[in-house]
Amino acid sequence: MAAGELLPLVVAVPLLGSAVLVAAGRRLTRIAADALGAAFAAGTVALCVFALIGVLEGPAVAWAGGWRPKDGLGVGIALVGDPLGVGLAALASVVTVAAFVYSWRYLEEPPPRHAGGFPALLLLFQAGMCGFTLTGDLFNAFVFFELMSVVAYALTGYRVEEPRPLQGALAFGIVNSLGGYCMLLGIALLYARTGELGMAQIGRALGTGEPDALVLAAFVLVMTGLLIKAAAVPFHFWLPDAHAVAPTPVCMVLSGVMVELGVYGAARVYWTVFAGPGGVSHSSCTRTLLVIGVATAVLGAAMCWQQRHLKRLLAFSTIGHVGLFLIGVAVLTPEGVSGTALYVLGHAGAKAALFACVGILLARYGSVDEYELYGRGRELRLVGVLFGVGALALAGVPPFGTGLGKAVAEEAAGQQAPWLPAVFVLVSAVTGGAVLRAGLRVFGGAGPRPPAEKADGEPETSGAEEEPETGDRLGRVPGTMLAVPVALLAGALAVGVLPGFAAAVGAAGDHFADHTGYLGTVLGSGSALSHVSASPHWTAAGVVLDLVSTALAIGCAALAVWRPGRTGHPGASGWWTPIRRMQSGHIGDYVAWALAGVALLAVLTVPGMLL
Amino acid sequence: MDEVLIAIAVVLVAAAATAAVFHRDPLRQSMVLSLLGLFLALLYTFVQAPDVALSQLAVGSAVTPLMILLTVRKVKRGPRSGSEDR
Amino acid sequence: MSRPVRLWVFLVGAVLVAALYAWACFDLPSFGGDHHPYGDRAVRTALAQHTANAVSSVNFDQRAFDTLGEQTILFAAVLGTVVLLRQVRGERRTDPTPAPVADRVRWFGVLMLPVALVVGFYVVAHGPLSPGGGFQGGIVLATALHLLYIAADYRALERIRPVGLYEVGDAVGEAAYVVTGLAAVLAGSAFLANVVPHGTFNTLSSGGTVAVLNIAVGMEVACGIIVLLARFLDQAVEIEETAEETGAR
């Protein structure tokens, strides 16, 4: 089978799996339901890998229903398998399988006759993510965007016994629905202008003429939807609230893949739809994404440092890294894209592994509070080691994929502005340092015992007295729950060291950043790759910067643990408190910020475009 | 003639939507929402999209308000105490 | 944020967004124009495919992949509702007491029920021919069933509504859509390709797979909405929290 023909199957197989699970779910035991779900998810991984091998030569296109356009004009939907899109579908599928394996012994026994519910939802999530990465049609992308969202709300609120998961899911749902509306409105504007819905077709139509207010509004609205999904500042408020309460296996998928798909979507839509002369100029897009990216990175890292609730800490570190990914794509070069892609791959492994470790803590001690757990993790030596390795990987230690991706993205960003690499180093150091600090306290019992009770007026939750998601507290840690973080970290390592891997990602970046090439591939005029960049590789400067950020992370963590008076938690009285209080949990606040964010995007994009 | 009908429907939709926002009681809100669904269905009919009007009528004026009503009932009933006042 | 601050942030954002959108609207093509590049192509294609209802041709043939995603969103939403509104620890079921129903209401329900059911089936069946189709008809069918709740009582509804069966129907509808798409692949064509003979224009069986997918969607939507409302009714009427759980909060 040609690679193109496999593309629709990547979406169809998990969909079929979820339908089977729902139909048979009332008769299946839990083990059978989980095994069936995992089998469908793993089958999809295999399909993704076969498709990926096929498209490494060059992108493949599948027209759903066989509606191949005639003379460049058509009525159908294209699935476009460029190496980056298929690669992300593979990543999403792999992390879904990891979530399946992890939740096998993790989640509480489902109510009788409902064993199929959770695995079916996970499969639908996988289908949504794969569809979103593979589609070449803007409206179809919106459909899969909504599918991902709907499933994610339900999975976030899965533990309905407690009020907080529902509140988190509600904030997630309302803010992301707002993003959906914005995106749909933007697509409607583009359709009104061009009469097309395919990305390549709209891109072709915007390839001539002058940009005007309609194009600006469409760009701003579509980007808003995708940046809300990516949890970029000031659209990020939903993420910590949702990630802190979602079941841990779900967090692995949310933090490791779904949020990054927002960044992917923004980059994809810009390059295919708006990169032409009638769209949005490179400099306007760079300015917008760069400002948002830097703000996201800095805020995420700073907030991450202040958390003691381990899941919230990891959630804010995801925000920090999303900021770095946005900077990586903002420079709009193939090098930036391939660096970011490597970074995303490495980050997914490291972050999902860290969530897996926190899940073990939650299952065993009924707490995710860094202070309360002080020293209690000493008995879990292997988990402690994994947590530490994950923290260092997050900081970008060579030879992990995060380190390679960071180095390549850093270098690409440095071409845009010489101070950008400093943002990369600092943000990865602070987020890695925060995780390392928590690990030292929890698993090493290092430093003086922190005060267990919550400081007066501390804005965020501490994470003490959480209900374990396993139902009862775990005695022995099941092998599957340990195997998952080990495998994920091994994957993050492989991204950095596997020979030929970086070169393949580099080629994927070239294809991704090739506007005319994409249009030619989809619309059938065909065109060779217009620009072949040097493959990303380890450089001396990159390794040095990686080591600097790792050293800084270790330094920050050590200082915080052994000299808590100087660098520890600033508590309620710090200068940072007003910003911490912005994370208020009030959905009205989040909506107000989102609307202000739309306006900010417009203000950032308009200079040089229309004014 | 078409334009007049469309204009009337648009005004009704805008009015009903605004009213729905300003009603604070979910019960009344669901009724206004049902009305909004009806006006939207009219608007879709006037702009020659009968199938969308049909969906809107079924979802917007029947299913969604019903779901809101049931939710309100559940919330108001609260834990246990509500079982007497049925 | 305090209320006034929130309001200000909102207003500043809202005014700017409204201005941007209004500005963009001046660049829209004028209302009622006759330049519809996609619409013209779609209608031409629909006629070539022997599908009288061009909208159904777009939904179930030309852009059938979109509809797969959309029906899956509904499927996911129903499944999510089933999972979230499950009966959990500390909740118990009580038998609802039947409430008296006024005679007029009862007669209204009894008379409307068959009418509504027939309309629902008609709208589903004529999807390839006239406005409407699986989605619209499915919802009519689902709501029609709930006339029983109005006309008789909850227990009468429960008797004709074995939720488990409808859950299966929901999944079968979803699976039927995917399997129809896969069958086209097995037949050597593209996913969701319209490989079935297209039949005679403007007859019930015309349109090839349009008729098949239309019925799959109708089944999924009707069963899905029934399950959805069943879960809501369950929560509103039957399930209640027990006292101990309340005390723990």
Side-chain angles (χ1 to χ4, degrees), chain A residues 169-185:
Chain A
L170 203 60
F172 184 10
I174 288 177
V175 175
N176 273 259
S177 301
L178 203 65
Y181 293 138
C182 287
M183 192 169 163
L184 189 59
L185 200 56

Side-chain angles (χ1 to χ4, degrees), chain A residues 135-156:
Chain A
T135 187
D137 186 281
L138 200 51
F139 184 79
N140 196 238
F142 166 75
V143 170
F144 283 112
F145 175 95
E146 286 288 289
L147 178 58
M148 279 196 284
S149 303
V150 168
V151 183
Y153 310 152
L155 285 173
T156 301

Side-chain angles (χ1 to χ4, degrees), chain C residues 214-226:
Chain C
N214 176 49
I215 288 177
V217 168
M219 179 163 180
E220 198 260 348
V221 171
C223 295
I225 300 281
I226 288 171

